[in-house]
Amino acid sequence: MQVVVNLLINAIEAMKEQPQATRRIDIRWSKTDGHIELSIEDAGHGIPEKDCERVFDPFYTRKEGGLGIGLAVSRRIVHEHHGMIECHPSQTGTRFQLNIPIERGPGHEV
């Protein structure tokens, strides 16, 4: 849950300079082959392809006043759950995509 909250906060902050009428966050998810796939796409200023991998580096930030730890921690959380998180430029801004396996067993049915 913390990863999703972080991605949503980042999306909101990325759009703060955009005209209110153009601000949009698209959230899509699906459940396939034992995985949950989640996509969060904003209509902000965008992250260039060359920076998409770097945004997960500790202390790397593109935000004024940012600490550069939110996405690094998010990636660690996702990896600890045997998932993956990726950053992609999109036509409207930036898309973060998560893929997390669904745990099965007593008390873990989805």
Side-chain angles (χ1 to χ4, degrees), residues 33-48:
D33 298 327
H35 289 82
I36 297 288
E37 295 178 3
L38 175 70
S39 171
I40 298 175
E41 184 174 347
D42 65 53
H45 51 76
I47 298 173

Side-chain angles (χ1 to χ4, degrees), residues 22-76:
T22 64
R23 296 177 194 171
R24 189 184 82 252
I25 299 174
D26 291 326
I27 302 171
R28 295 187 176 100
W29 73 276
S30 63
K31 178 180 154 187
T32 58
D33 298 327
H35 289 82
I36 297 288
E37 295 178 3
L38 175 70
S39 171
I40 298 175
E41 184 174 347
D42 65 53
H45 51 76
I47 298 173
E49 181 76 39
K50 67 180 180 65
D51 291 338
C52 271
E53 188 60 31
R54 290 193 66 203
V55 297
F56 297 106
D57 292 346
F59 308 111
Y60 175 81
T61 184
R62 294 176 40 84
K63 293 191 287 188
E64 186 175 326
L67 298 176
I69 59 172
L71 289 173
V73 169
S74 293
R75 177 174 260 183
R76 183 174 179 104

